[in-house]
Amino acid sequence: MNLKNKIAISILSLLCLACGSNRSIVKTNALDVIPKSLLLQNTQTSGIFKLKQQALTPDAKGIITDIKLELPEFKKGIYFRPFSEKLAAGNRVEPLWFDKISELDNYKHQQPRFDSNINLGTFMMLQKENGEYLALLPLVTNRIGNTFSVHDNNVYLTMATYGTVTENVSVPLLAYGQSASPYEAARLAWAQAMKTDIIKENIQWRSEKKYPEAYNYLGWCSWEHYKQNINEKIILDALKGIKESKIPFRWMLVDDGYLDHKNGQLLSFGTDKKKFPNGWKTITSQKDDKIKWMGIWCNFNGYFGGVSPEHTMTNLREHLVARNPTGKKTMLIPKISEEAAHAFYNEMTKTTKDNGFDIIKVDFQSDNFRNNTGASNAILGVHYNNKALEENCKDKDLMLLNCIAQQNFNVFNHRYSALIRGSVDYKTTKDRLDVTLVQNFANAFWLGHNYWLDQDMFFANFEETAQLMAVARAVSGGPIYLSDVPEHIDDTVLKPLTYGDGLIVGTEAPAVPLPESLMQDPYFDGKAFRVIAPLKNKAAAIMAVNLNQDDKEVNTQVSIQDYPFAGGMIQPYQGLWSAPKEGILLYDYYKGTAQILKDSYPFTLGSRKERLLLLTPIQQGWSIIGRPDKYLSASTFELVDVTEKSVKFQWVEDGPILIWTENKTPQSENFQFTKLENGLWKGELVKPNGNKTYTIFKNVQ
């Protein structure tokens, strides 16, 4: 028997069918040699491909090999690729939809997307002919990076170090998960990674990470309005405006434009003395009960051109090394070692902490491997640097936001940080609006198992899209912050986002596309893009938006079949939700109407228009919608008890209530009720109590 046949038989044996119907994990054995292909036709439940320890030598480009993926027959696919091969590829990961691989191989740039790059792929999912979903996750260790590439009408797993040295290691190659639910398929693939040696110590489930306290509240960032044109006076004036504003901001972040640099290369982590002559103390000393936290932007590599050979950080000199990745300009970056990485990121984070900052936004992480390309092992450099940044932030209690980090060489080295940017920067143009919405929610499908996603700042004063931006961020479950000039912000779209103290009314998990939207091209398929998020009390929020490039209206709907998918991203995972026996109430937030959702609720959306629908369970003849003045009203209370005669709940913050009953009249000593339509009642709080816990009774009409 020749070697090729031995390899094929060995791989087939790894993919034997799982026994029983409990979707037990498929165990896989290690591969003795690098296979020419991985056979994926007979996968079931989940598994992993591993390569036994051996010497692996990269070529002149740092690539060890390409392994062809033998894919099963499928109806539809979604492929996540950085749409820029070069600069900032890590916050440019977005989905491409395809019916066959040749469509990917021949993909050409079309608006609103940016370019034609299809390599460095981070994740892929196929919907098989039998309707099941197969999720494929290329794995990254501390020394070997695996990504997808596409050529010759095939998908390949590209194994690389982007360095020069031979590595004698074992390599987890690819994890997969298969399920009738796309969310479970992705989770099963991640579950394989979470238990794999060499990987499991570098990553963690979202629910096991600490969510940064400040990001529970409304914030403000300098970037989108001021860009790099900031100085001490501008920031102090902005801070004054934030404090005087009626809007309940609780934190502010100073973005790029302050650093001590020369021609785009870092001199120190201090300030440009011409712009900030007094350093940071005049600013950070003004933290108070309103602005409790302040944050600062940093570049993962020092600055855009790394560290200058003329830098003034004497304690780092032995830890930096010269690189010239572009062949045009020499930069200094940390040596590829734990000691050098720790020294560099200790300097960054210590300066941040000593200057009085609580938040650190670290940008351009995905440029790091390019800066070390051609050195000993660029993937190892990324590992050391990400690990050092995370550990230093953890030790100093700095709240880390990862930005330009979606590239999976970074994702597989974020054990502690709970936040990652979901898309390119927010802009007010139509194309950028479309791209950021799709990126943020589609990326939540594969990244949301490990992170909450940051959808970036937005302008509340840009009336054309302000409400859409606010609602999108509400259902995302992530941070919400603005960049308008503070003293002139219209709070119309902001009030429904937060309570009076700035606390965000949030979700129980990141919003993700519903299965139909997950497998469709929202720009060209003529359908609405619909996302779903779970709320408290087994309620769900669905946002539908029309992003079609022809600018025509679309007809869409919300169905009773959508409700179970709200459980898809809950951690720990308990499976998809079951509809309650008494049914589901649909509340149309924009129309202010409610009805029992018997089958479907159809509606029409104009171009770039959205709709927010809330699905709340009916129990004992009640359905509590919650506070009607908040987008996510069902998250504004905790249900304490419900019987046929009464319902008891506790507010997060006192306010009016919207409640539905069937042929009953709600009564309470605390609320004065007004009858609306279809069993809907609005109650004004007339007698608040100290513990915010209230009981509503109902009498037969």
Side-chain angles (χ1 to χ4, degrees), residues 201-202 300 334-350 360 362 365 368 380-396 398 400 402 410 413-417:
E201 59 266 28
N202 298 328
F300 192 64
K335 294 178 180 178
I336 300 177
S337 75
E338 284 189 280
E339 181 183 8
H342 175 75
F344 185 77
Y345 293 101
N346 178 62
E347 182 75 11
M348 176 189 290
T349 56
K350 185 177 185 301
I360 183 169
V362 180
Q365 296 183 26
N368 194 244
L380 183 60
V382 174
H383 168 71
Y384 284 146
N385 292 335
N386 271 291
K387 181 180 177 182
L389 172 64
E390 288 223 320
E391 290 181 346
N392 273 285
C393 286
K394 184 173 181 289
D395 291 345
K396 298 177 180 67
L398 285 171
L400 172 60
N402 297 293
N410 300 295
N413 288 292
H414 289 162
R415 180 169 180 79
Y416 300 116
S417 48

Side-chain angles (χ1 to χ4, degrees), residues 182-207:
Y183 317 112
E184 185 181 30
R187 184 190 66 82
L188 287 169
W190 275 111
Q192 287 289 341
M194 294 286 179
K195 67 177 189 176
T196 298
D197 290 340
I198 320 173
I199 293 177
K200 63 184 181 182
E201 59 266 28
N202 298 328
I203 58 176
Q204 188 55 274
W205 295 109
R206 179 189 78 244
S207 58

Side-chain angles (χ1 to χ4, degrees), residues 533-605:
L535 309 181
K536 288 181 180 178
N537 308 299
K538 278 295 181 79
I542 294 177
M543 185 189 79
V545 60
N546 176 6
L547 301 176
N548 282 272
Q549 297 302 290
D550 60 11
D551 295 334
K552 294 180 180 178
E553 288 186 343
V554 298
N555 296 316
T556 189
Q557 64 178 17
V558 168
S559 165
I560 192 73
Q561 282 77 36
D562 294 328
Y563 175 78
F565 298 116
M569 298 296 288
I570 292 284
Q571 291 182 354
Y573 183 66
Q574 301 294 323
L576 300 184
W577 287 357
S578 298
K581 293 180 181 179
E582 295 181 57
I584 294 290
L585 188 79
L586 180 143
Y587 176 67
D588 187 323
Y589 176 83
Y590 289 178
K591 293 180 67 177
T593 59
Q595 66 183 60
I596 297 175
L597 187 59
K598 296 290 188 182
D599 184 18
S600 64
Y601 178 76
F603 52 95
T604 300
L605 290 172

Side-chain angles (χ1 to χ4, degrees), residues 40 59 64 164 275 315 322 325 376 499 530 546 559 592 604 662:
L40 295 161
D59 64 14
I64 297 167
T164 59
K275 301 175 79 173
N315 58 323
S376 58
Y499 299 109
R530 302 185 308 141
N546 176 6
S559 165
T604 300
E662 192 168 25

Side-chain angles (χ1 to χ4, degrees), residues 311-319 343-344 346-347 350:
H311 75 90
T312 59
M313 300 174 289
T314 56
N315 58 323
L316 292 184
R317 283 177 182 163
E318 65 178 297
H319 299 296
F344 185 77
N346 178 62
E347 182 75 11
K350 185 177 185 301

Side-chain angles (χ1 to χ4, degrees), residues 152-204:
D152 303 321
N153 287 329
N154 290 296
V155 179
Y156 294 83
L157 187 72
T158 297
M159 187 194 316
T161 66
Y162 301 100
T164 59
V165 302
T166 296
E167 296 288 354
N168 197 315
V169 292
S170 62
V171 184
L173 298 171
L174 178 74
Y176 66 86
Q178 183 168 311
S179 172
S181 161
Y183 317 112
E184 185 181 30
R187 184 190 66 82
L188 287 169
W190 275 111
Q192 287 289 341
M194 294 286 179
K195 67 177 189 176
T196 298
D197 290 340
I198 320 173
I199 293 177
K200 63 184 181 182
E201 59 266 28
N202 298 328
I203 58 176
Q204 188 55 274

Side-chain angles (χ1 to χ4, degrees), residues 231-243:
N231 56 37
E232 183 179 275
K233 183 180 185 304
I234 286 172
I235 296 301
L236 284 173
D237 286 348
L239 179 58
K240 181 175 182 289
I242 288 170
K243 287 190 173 188

Side-chain angles (χ1 to χ4, degrees), residues 53-231:
Q53 182 172 343
Q54 56 196 274
L56 302 168
T57 302
D59 64 14
K61 294 182 179 180
I63 296 173
I64 297 167
T65 191
D66 276 352
I67 304 171
K68 182 181 176 181
L69 302 185
E70 300 285 358
L71 301 173
E73 295 293 323
F74 61 91
K75 296 190 293 185
K76 192 80 175 178
I78 181 172
Y79 177 81
F80 289 83
R81 55 95 195 222
F83 65 66
S84 170
E85 189 175 11
K86 297 179 181 179
L87 179 66
N91 83 341
R92 284 163 167 75
V93 173
E94 69 164 0
L96 294 179
W97 289 270
F98 59 95
D99 296 322
K100 48 190 176 181
I101 300 303
S102 60
E103 294 174 8
L104 289 179
D105 198 13
N106 297 305
Y107 175 74
K108 301 298 181 185
H109 165 230
Q110 55 182 327
Q111 291 180 330
R113 302 185 183 101
F114 283 67
D115 68 26
S116 309
N117 177 58
I118 54 172
N119 296 323
L120 291 172
T122 58
F123 190 87
M124 181 166 58
M125 188 173 71
L126 307 175
Q127 187 177 21
K128 298 172 70 173
E129 292 292 344
N130 65 2
E132 292 223 325
Y133 297 89
L134 175 64
L136 302 174
L137 176 65
L139 301 174
V140 178
T141 70
N142 55 353
R143 294 177 181 271
I144 305 293
N146 292 298
T147 56
F148 293 130
S149 57
V150 181
H151 54 86
D152 303 321
N153 287 329
N154 290 296
V155 179
Y156 294 83
L157 187 72
T158 297
M159 187 194 316
T161 66
Y162 301 100
T164 59
V165 302
T166 296
E167 296 288 354
N168 197 315
V169 292
S170 62
V171 184
L173 298 171
L174 178 74
Y176 66 86
Q178 183 168 311
S179 172
S181 161
Y183 317 112
E184 185 181 30
R187 184 190 66 82
L188 287 169
W190 275 111
Q192 287 289 341
M194 294 286 179
K195 67 177 189 176
T196 298
D197 290 340
I198 320 173
I199 293 177
K200 63 184 181 182
E201 59 266 28
N202 298 328
I203 58 176
Q204 188 55 274
W205 295 109
R206 179 189 78 244
S207 58
E208 297 299 315
K209 295 179 177 181
K210 180 182 178 182
Y211 189 82
E213 182 185 5
Y215 288 111
N216 287 312
Y217 296 84
L218 186 66
W220 181 90
C221 178
S222 64
W223 176 252
E224 203 53 52
H225 179 75
Y226 293 105
K227 297 293 194 292
Q228 292 179 324
N229 302 314
I230 59 173
N231 56 37

